[in-house]
Amino acid sequence: MIVTVDPGSTVPPYDQIREQLTTMIQAGVLAAGVRLPSIRQLAADLGLAPNTVARSYRELESAGLIITRVGRGTTVSRLPTLPAAERQRLLRAAAESYLATAARLGSTVDEAIAALRSGA
Amino acid sequence: MIVTVDPGSTVPPYDQIREQLTTMIQAGVLAAGVRLPSIRQLAADLGLAPNTVARSYRELESAGLIITRVGRGTTVSRLPTLPAAERQRLLRAAAESYLATAARLGSTVDEAIAALRSGA
Amino acid sequence: MIVTVDPGSTVPPYDQIREQLTTMIQAGVLAAGVRLPSIRQLAADLGLAPNTVARSYRELESAGLIITRVGRGTTVSRLPTLPAAERQRLLRAAAESYLATAARLGSTVDEAIAALRSGA
Amino acid sequence: MIVTVDPGSTVPPYDQIREQLTTMIQAGVLAAGVRLPSIRQLAADLGLAPNTVARSYRELESAGLIITRVGRGTTVSRLPTLPAAERQRLLRAAAESYLATAARLGSTVDEAIAALRSGA
DNA sequence: GTGGTCTAGACCACG
DNA sequence: GTGGTCTAGACCACA
């Protein structure tokens, strides 16, 4: 699954989808020209109404990140990806956020790392 | 700093504060009887209006997690903490979320772990 | 009625609404701070589903032309209006388009002008 | 030029061409038997691909408004034209639409009429 | 099959 | 009351 949605979050599903796809496209993980799953397909996979996914795609399109053509699906547009330094900065930020959460749960750094390995 | 706020997030600051304190209290990291920083102190530390922090405290109080008594400040209530299994489950969930973000940034598990160590 | 929708047009209603409001705001006919009709009210007036009007408003908001606050309605944002020269240019363009349509219907300029007066 | 196309419009060019020719034929401005410009000629005049104009002609032909015969070009069919009352109704509709646009631009009826004269 | 639009109605949060 | 979101389903145009 290319994207995941947490139904318990206060962040609306269409926003979660948009944010995750934005990250992947800007990081170059989804390269220019790659075809995204169809609206109906992704909606079915996530258990959402097609309209919800359509809204995410529509906003990505108006942001210039993807190109949609009726009858031909949706592809990632040709845009410069984030430089490696910026990707590294974002990874650091995510790491800090994870460590902060772990600390709030009373875990040490080693336990936090172990949780990563066990989940892999 | 006991708590951090991301001003760029769409999640309102009072929600971020409430969530983080809730986690720490339920996990037992903030033990019963521990005194929280004053509203004005925490607001000053975070660069927020006192009203914002007050709202977080108010919601935590109505949830029974903290007790505010005039003249004695705000302390953590005497409530059962989450069992270890539940804490472990939450840590796993946070780990998975972090790994997913790292993957969206094009990072491997090893790179994700390295980012934890370098940030520590 | 502040805006009209032609259901027979191939231009979708949400686009018609957005375009008309955009013109009025940029021309300064709807001044900064003016309150727009509520989504439900305008939808009822136009015989549309509230979602349709909501989509127009959402796009106007993301374009920075209006400000919506839940529970408090929608107002025109404080933006520079088009200079008089540009408004005049747009009026000329509309006039030419009307004359072209009239000519296609076999009408003279005088008949086109007479139609304006009789409709007034 | 018999027909004009607005490249900035969301209405596809072939639709704009079809609509304008339809109006002129139904109004009798283009009388039965009149020869239309060739597809290539009109495409060149409008700066469009011949395929685009061809599509407009094809749709007009299937609607019975024009007749294409190889070697003899394209001519307007022998069809009853709109009665005068209907032409008048369409002119009124166009006038109202123009006045509405002018009003959205902050113009009075007199200014709208003046714009017609200055453009003529 | 694809995406685009619209409807009718639901529930939520805010004020 | 306000807007925000989502659903379930419809019809359309395009390929």
Side-chain angles (χ1 to χ4, degrees):
Chain A
M1 184 78 65
I2 194 174
V3 56
T4 60
V5 162
D6 173 10
S9 167
T10 62
V11 179
Y14 82 89
D15 246 354
Q16 296 184 41
I17 297 169
R18 185 179 49 71
E19 282 171 8
Q20 291 176 21
L21 290 177
T22 298
T23 299
M24 288 191 279
I25 293 170
Q26 289 185 335
V29 175
L30 288 178
V34 166
R35 176 145 175 209
L36 293 181
S38 79
I39 288 178
R40 288 169 170 90
Q41 182 62 49
L42 186 52
D45 289 351
L46 297 173
L48 298 172
N51 256 341
T52 303
V53 177
R55 178 166 179 182
S56 304
Y57 277 26
R58 194 190 316 142
E59 296 190 352
L60 287 166
E61 161 124 66
S62 79
L65 290 173
I66 65 177
I67 298 172
T68 70
R69 273 169 300 186
V70 184
R72 305 217 291 169
T74 303
T75 56
V76 176
S77 60
R78 185 167 299 279
L79 278 178
T81 62
L82 291 178
E86 180 64 7
R87 291 220 306 278
Q88 189 62 23
R89 198 188 63 74
L90 291 172
L91 181 61
R92 288 280 184 88
E96 278 178 28
S97 171
Y98 170 55
L99 283 181
T101 297
R104 278 182 217 112
L105 286 166
S107 305
T108 66
V109 173
D110 285 342
E111 287 169 344
I113 292 176
L116 289 183
R117 289 230 172 74
S118 71
Chain B
M1 185 76 64
I2 192 175
V3 122
T4 59
V5 163
D6 173 10
S9 167
T10 61
V11 179
Y14 72 83
D15 248 355
Q16 297 183 42
I17 297 170
R18 183 180 47 70
E19 283 172 11
Q20 292 176 22
L21 290 177
T22 298
T23 298
M24 288 191 280
I25 293 170
Q26 290 184 336
V29 176
L30 288 178
V34 166
R35 180 155 170 197
L36 292 181
S38 76
I39 288 176
R40 287 177 189 170
Q41 181 61 50
L42 185 52
D45 289 351
L46 297 173
L48 298 173
N51 262 342
T52 304
V53 177
R55 176 163 181 182
S56 306
Y57 278 27
R58 197 185 327 132
E59 296 186 357
L60 286 166
E61 168 133 50
S62 75
L65 289 171
I66 65 177
I67 298 171
T68 304
R69 275 171 298 192
V70 287
R72 300 192 18 199
T74 301
T75 57
V76 175
S77 318
R78 183 165 304 277
L79 278 178
T81 61
L82 292 177
E86 181 64 7
R87 290 221 307 279
Q88 188 62 21
R89 199 190 61 76
L90 290 173
L91 181 60
R92 288 282 182 88
E96 277 178 29
S97 171
Y98 170 55
L99 283 181
T101 298
R104 279 181 215 114
L105 286 167
S107 304
T108 65
V109 174
D110 285 343
E111 287 168 346
I113 291 175
L116 288 182
R117 288 229 172 75
S118 71
Chain C
M1 184 80 64
I2 196 173
V3 57
T4 59
V5 163
D6 173 10
S9 167
T10 61
V11 179
Y14 81 90
D15 246 355
Q16 297 184 40
I17 296 169
R18 185 181 48 71
E19 284 172 6
Q20 292 176 21
L21 290 178
T22 298
T23 298
M24 288 192 279
I25 293 170
Q26 290 185 333
V29 174
L30 289 177
V34 165
R35 177 147 176 209
L36 293 182
S38 80
I39 289 178
R40 287 169 170 90
Q41 182 61 51
L42 185 53
D45 289 351
L46 296 175
L48 297 172
N51 257 341
T52 304
V53 175
R55 179 165 177 185
S56 304
Y57 277 25
R58 195 190 315 139
E59 297 191 351
L60 286 166
E61 161 123 67
S62 78
L65 289 173
I66 65 178
I67 297 171
T68 70
R69 274 169 298 187
V70 184
R72 304 216 292 169
T74 304
T75 55
V76 176
S77 60
R78 185 166 299 277
L79 279 178
T81 61
L82 292 178
E86 180 65 6
R87 291 219 306 279
Q88 188 63 23
R89 198 190 63 74
L90 291 172
L91 181 61
R92 288 279 182 88
E96 277 178 29
S97 171
Y98 170 56
L99 283 180
T101 297
R104 277 181 218 111
L105 286 167
S107 305
T108 66
V109 174
D110 285 342
E111 286 168 347
I113 292 176
L116 289 183
R117 289 231 171 75
S118 70
Chain D
M1 184 76 66
I2 193 173
V3 123
T4 60
V5 163
D6 173 10
S9 167
T10 61
V11 179
Y14 71 83
D15 249 356
Q16 297 184 42
I17 297 170
R18 183 180 46 70
E19 284 173 8
Q20 292 177 22
L21 290 178
T22 298
T23 298
M24 288 192 280
I25 293 170
Q26 290 184 334
V29 175
L30 289 177
V34 165
R35 183 159 167 192
L36 292 181
S38 76
I39 288 176
R40 286 179 188 166
Q41 181 61 50
L42 185 53
D45 289 350
L46 297 174
L48 298 173
N51 263 342
T52 303
V53 176
R55 176 163 181 182
S56 305
Y57 277 27
R58 196 187 326 130
E59 296 187 354
L60 287 165
E61 167 134 49
S62 76
L65 289 171
I66 64 177
I67 298 170
T68 303
R69 274 170 299 191
V70 288
R72 298 187 25 195
T74 302
T75 56
V76 176
S77 316
R78 184 165 302 279
L79 278 178
T81 61
L82 292 177
E86 180 64 7
R87 290 221 306 278
Q88 187 63 21
R89 198 190 63 75
L90 291 173
L91 181 61
R92 287 281 182 86
E96 277 177 30
S97 171
Y98 170 56
L99 283 180
T101 298
R104 280 184 214 109
L105 286 167
S107 304
T108 65
V109 174
D110 285 343
E111 287 168 345
I113 292 176
L116 288 182
R117 289 229 171 76
S118 71

